[in-house]
Amino acid sequence: MVEKAVVVALGGNAILRHQEMGTAEEQLANVRRTSRHIVDIIREGYDVIITHGNGPQVGDILLRNEMAKDTLPPMPLDICGAESQGMIGYMLQQSLNEALREAGLARPVVAVLTQTLVKGDDPAFGNPTKPIGPFYTAMQAKRLMVEKGWKMVQIRGRGYRRVVPSPRPVTLVEGEVINRLFRGGAVVIAAGGGGIPVVAGQDGTLRGVEGVVDKDYTAALLARLADADDLLILTDVDYVFLNYGCPGQQALREMTVAEAKQHLEATHFPPGTMGPKIEAAIAFLEAGGRRVVITSLDSAGDALAGRVGTWIHR
């Protein structure tokens, strides 16, 4: 029987820190540190489902595809996303088992390769906006647009980059399996990188699509499907701020859903950073969730105890 259920959404710095090269050793060291924080939460009596980002990892996979394209056939984006889920899930499984053993806690840990169902007519498919993969020169970008039909955008000072659709998640294909494992006492790792986006045909057959589902929206969906009380979104700051990065920035200790909506409308939360986290928090709470806490990885335990972080509630 689950007493206190929390979905922990790990940000990118939980796996790869700024200015690191991304070696296996670096990422595993970060994941081990992250796992100790998660075990501290479990020690406080929480049952935990973990989800995570995969941006740098899937970007590296795409770059390797590009560099090796004359030797090996490149894989489509959905398969690259699955590959990144497996890699990060493996590191988290191993590290969490180690941290649980050190803490004297007996919990099974399992990573579930997760598909996220999206709608084939989602407007996002007609307006790709999510940057992925390496940067290209203008000549390379023009060739790829012709050869592969990619949409490319120029990023000032860095070159051109591919953009793909970012459809909203509808449900998780493996949702029932995740729930069974979670209700059975397992620490479950699921829906990494927002999940692998798939669409369903008229006969129910699933097909992977070229796109990226925002991990924060999927975290909120995962929390609803698991009937979690809390959603803990971990990023690289201790609080959500108004006027972030500007003189007079203001840390928010708590918000209601109504206040969060007001701040969103006032454009305090940019769409590429804090915006999706706030939108995900609102969706979770309006669907019946108890609270959302947004804070940094190092403050995760203190945040759930109410000592730090931004609390959002109904």
Side-chain angles (χ1 to χ4, degrees), residues 254-278:
E254 62 177 335
M255 285 186 285
T256 63
V257 165
E259 290 168 338
K261 287 180 176 180
Q262 290 172 0
H263 295 321
L264 266 176
E265 291 173 4
T267 67
H268 280 293
F269 308 132
T273 52
M274 191 57 70
K277 294 174 175 54
I278 301 299

Side-chain angles (χ1 to χ4, degrees), residues 51-301:
T51 188
H52 58 82
N54 69 341
Q57 292 77 20
V58 80
D60 286 349
I61 293 167
L62 289 166
L63 181 57
R64 283 196 292 270
N65 271 348
E66 182 65 21
M67 295 176 71
K69 67 181 184 299
D70 295 329
T71 305
L72 296 170
M75 294 292 109
L77 182 55
D78 57 318
I79 292 178
C80 292
E83 185 177 341
S84 70
Q85 268 197 44
M87 177 179 71
I88 297 169
Y90 157 68
M91 290 191 291
L92 279 166
Q93 278 186 160
Q94 188 180 86
S95 300
L96 280 165
N97 273 314
E98 181 181 303
L100 285 164
R101 187 171 60 252
E102 289 174 352
L105 297 172
R107 294 283 185 92
V109 182
V110 61
V112 179
L113 193 65
T114 311
Q115 302 170 92
T116 300
L117 186 69
V118 300
K119 292 182 178 179
D121 60 355
D122 190 300
F125 287 112
N127 182 33
T129 57
K130 184 76 171 178
I132 62 163
F135 289 88
Y136 298 95
T137 65
M139 188 176 295
Q140 289 171 326
K142 185 175 181 180
R143 175 177 56 82
L144 289 167
M145 290 172 71
V146 172
E147 290 181 359
K148 299 191 177 185
W150 289 358
K151 180 179 178 182
M152 310 290 285
V153 296
Q154 185 177 15
I155 298 175
R156 184 174 297 178
R158 303 195 69 181
Y160 289 78
R161 204 173 181 201
R162 180 187 178 192
V163 288
V164 298
S166 185
R168 292 296 181 106
V170 175
T171 192
L172 302 180
V173 175
E174 289 76 24
E176 183 180 348
V177 173
I178 292 166
N179 250 328
R180 287 186 185 184
L181 292 165
F182 181 53
R183 299 292 160 185
V187 178
V188 183
I189 304 151
I196 306 156
V198 296
V199 295
Q202 291 185 348
D203 61 353
T205 302
L206 299 177
R207 174 177 57 85
V209 292
E210 295 276 298
V212 175
V213 181
D214 188 284
K215 64 182 176 59
D216 295 311
Y217 298 145
T218 302
L221 174 60
L222 179 61
R224 296 200 303 272
L225 291 175
D227 197 24
D229 305 294
D230 301 331
L231 172 58
L232 176 61
I233 300 176
L234 300 179
T235 182
D236 54 0
V237 290
D238 285 338
Y239 297 94
V240 176
F241 290 88
L242 297 181
N243 303 311
Y244 180 68
C246 301
Q249 71 176 17
Q250 176 188 351
L252 297 172
R253 290 302 305 264
E254 62 177 335
M255 285 186 285
T256 63
V257 165
E259 290 168 338
K261 287 180 176 180
Q262 290 172 0
H263 295 321
L264 266 176
E265 291 173 4
T267 67
H268 280 293
F269 308 132
T273 52
M274 191 57 70
K277 294 174 175 54
I278 301 299
E279 290 179 355
I282 292 169
F284 171 63
L285 293 168
E286 289 187 334
R290 186 170 71 100
R291 64 173 176 168
V292 177
V293 186
I294 302 177
T295 192
S296 66
L297 172 65
D298 291 335
S299 299

